[in-house]
Every structure is written in structure tokens, then in C-alpha cells.
Amino acid sequence: MHLLIEGGNKLSGLVTIEGAKNAVLPACAASLLTDEPVVIHRAPPLRDVRTIIAVIEELGKEVTYADGTISILPTGTLRPRASKEHVERMRASFLVLGPLLARLGRAVVPLPGGCTIGPRPVDYHLQGLRALGARVREDEDAVVLTAGRLRGARFRLPYPSVGATEQLLMAASLAKGETFIENPSREPEVLDLVELLRKMGARIEEDEGMLAVEGVDGLHGAEHAVIPDRLEAGTYLIAGAITGGRVTAAGVRPAHLAALTAVLERTGARVELSGEAVTVEGGGRPRPVEVETAPFPGFPTDLQPPLVALLSLAEGGSTVRDPVFPRRFGYVEELKRMGARISVSAGMAHITGVGDLHGAALTSPDIRAGAALVLAALAARGESRIDGLGQLDRGYAALEGKLKGLGAEIERREDT
Ligand code: EPZ
């Protein structure tokens, strides 16, 4: 399958935003912490969501998924081993490690492989679980963790890693005694997991920049609607800016999008906030800006590729540095094939804005890079073909339908 996009239309209208994929994935992992039902609402129809469902089914849950609701029930047996196939397909499958260890005293989970956004180690996850009392060894391609009951501890994350914070929150919730996670991630998706864990009976407090977890003996079932997907919303808002149109993302939390809307305003786009909606109106060529990604509330690394697509059309030179994932620039070669002038060195893109881009045949290397290529194609002269939809479909539900609703000319076609 590939996408064909005829660029040049100004996108205008309203797009309804799904629940956050990156909140659903840890929520499904958290269901392993209890034998009672966990129900997750607003789960988007995405490949990654189906992958995490397959992972927890394999580990012993019975799952139904319909109309955005995932209902997770126990089958009676919780198994400690996740298969390589799943973890290879999606790195977030590694999040089952902490819950399995806390419940069973043993977990065997394959190491996530390399990834197109650069090396993504799991050393902080393992250091943190070690601090809680886990013994860690590697067995072929998997890590094997064993422990008696986990013990609360004080652990300082070397970097506020999203996944490591989630892993430790889940494990510490069932540990004996209190755990202090210093330098935690404070991304909205992490705080959404905190909310779900609290509903399940976990005792978690935010305390002077730390997350303090008072372990409990058992957790119960819960029902939870995840937060809106700020990355999906951000992508559609940039679509409004890059095409010189006017796009409203509805059903969002504007505070989660503040770093993006501040940058879009600096590029000259008009931003309107009203309740649960954000509107971005582009017009004329964007002004150049200098941006650096950072943990929340900074500019999100996931919106770095879409932003670079926008700045490739700016009136002047911009720089975008991504210290979170310094190698997340693989898609730049594709943008250059559309006429963009960008050079990348040491985790920073130097972008010399051009007056226009032209259509080209492109391949999407990862989810957000794919979004950048779609945005560039929407703004370009002529037709673009985008292959590698498996990646885009991991993160964007009903992409063509939503873009068509905003006035884009876009079709999904079978490869012939
Ligand atoms: C999450 O990945 C997201 N995934 C990513 O979104 C997102 O890009 C990333 O956070 C940053 O915001 C999910 O939530 C499922 P990290 P995660 O651990 O948890 C280094 C998308 O497009 N690090 O915060 O894997 C790491 O290499 C995906 O939806 C270590 O060195 O990110 C990176 O440089 C792609 N050792 C930095 O920390 C570790 O043990 C941030 O990674 C862990 C991380």
C-alpha cells in the first residue's frame, strides 16, 4: 500500500483527535498488575494498540477491543515470558517487564532491537528495577529478571526517560515500602498512567520534582479514559500552518500543546485556543526559528520531523536540535528529494527555507518521520507517493479520511 498526495490545497476545517496511543500502551501493561478487570476508553484503532493487546493476551489476559474500548479480563494464569516477535515489532512491549516481575517474581522479555530513530537502550529501566531488588541477567536476546517481593528504594533516573519512569511506577506500586523516583519524566502520558494506577489503588504522590510511590499489597481493577493524543493533534495543526489553511484540532488539552503553539506563533501562524480546541491558521511563508527539543513541557521530539517539514518552506534559515533523539533525522534525505535544503550534523538540522517543494516518491522510515513527509507532500507542487505506510499506521488512525475532510487530495492505493 502507498499514499498518493496531490499537493497545493489549503487545508481547512475541524479534525477530531483520538486518545493518546502512548497513554494506551502503558495502560495495557498496567493491567498485568491486577487480576481484576481493567477497562480503557478512547483507545485509537492503531497497529501499536493491536500489538500491545496481542502481548497481554499472550501473557494471560482475555481482551476485547471494540468502539475504542479495551476490556481486559484475567484468564487465571499470568505467564512471565513475552515473545520476541512482539517486542521486535514495538519497543513499548518492553513495558510489561516491571508488572510481570512485580506480580510473578520473574520476567523474561526480549531486548528491543535497534530502531530507525537511533539506538534506544533500556539501561535505565534495568538499573531502576535492580534498585528495587531485581536480579538481572541476559539470556540470548532476552533479559531475565527475578526477585522476591520488590523493595522500595530511592532511584535517580540519569535522564527523565518516559518508558523507564512508567516501568518503575508500575513495579514500585506493588513493592514493599516507599520508592522515590528522582528526575522522572513528567510527560502527560506518564501522568495519565499515574492517574490510572491511582484508580487501581496505587499510592503515588508528586513531591518536589520526584514521584513518591508507597507500595501496596495488591491493586484492583479500574476504568480509565486516556488523554487526547497531542502528537496527532500537533501534526494536524502543522498541516494547517504548512498549507496556509486553518485547522482546528478538537477534543484536545491545549496545555499539552503549548510548546508547539508557541513555536507556531513565532513562525507567524495565528493560534486560537478555546476550551478543548486549538486552531492554527497559516498564511504566507513561515518565519524562521531556532528550536530545541526537550522533555515536557519543552518542544516534543515527536513533533520535530513535522516542524522541520514546515521550516523547510520558511523565509530564511532555521535550526532544529534534537538532543532527546539526536539521530532522528533519517527522513531529511527524503525531504531533500522534494527540493528542501537541509543539512544535519551533531543532532541538529540546519534548514535553509525554499520558496516551494515539489512532489516526489518517498519512503516513511518511522511514525513521525512519515507524518513529516505527508505534511511536505500536502504543501508541495504536484504529486507525491509515500511508501512505508506500516510505520504511519502505527501512529495515525484514519489519516487519509481525516486529511480529506480538511480538503486534501490523498488516496491510499494497492502496490501494483
Ligand atoms: C517514548 O519513548 C515514546 N514512546 C516515543 O514516541 C517518544 O519519542 C519518546 O518517549 C520521547 O518523548 C512511547 O511512549 C511508547 P525515552 P521512550 O525513554 O520511552 C534514552 C512515537 O512516535 N534512554 O524517554 O522509549 C533514549 O535513548 C514514539 O510515538 C536511555 O539512554 O523514550 C533517548 O535518547 C517514538 N536509556 C532518551 O533517553 C534508557 O533506558 C529518551 O527516551 C531509556 C532511554
Side-chain angles (χ1 to χ4, degrees), residues 7-8 242 284-286 309-316 335-341 352-360 375-382:
I242 201 171
R285 286 177 68 183
L310 173 68
L311 296 176
S312 70
L313 288 164
E315 207 154 20
L335 288 182
K336 279 160 77 173
R337 282 153 20 78
M338 305 177 81
R341 287 179 57 201
T352 306
V354 294
D356 60 5
L357 297 173
H358 53 80
L375 292 170
L378 290 168
R381 258 183 305 112

Side-chain angles (χ1 to χ4, degrees), residues 21-22 25-26 91-92 95 117 119-126 159-164 166 187 230-231 301-302 323-326 328 366-368:
K21 162 183 86 80
N22 289 347
L25 303 180
R91 176 186 161 85
L95 290 174
I117 62 175
R120 295 168 73 187
V122 288
D123 47 343
Y124 307 156
H125 299 234
L126 299 178
Y159 180 88
S161 152
V162 175
E166 293 169 342
E187 304 290 315
R230 63 195 167 110
L231 307 175
T301 171
D302 297 281
V324 182
F325 286 116
R328 197 175 206 168
D366 71 70
I367 312 179
R368 312 300 166 188

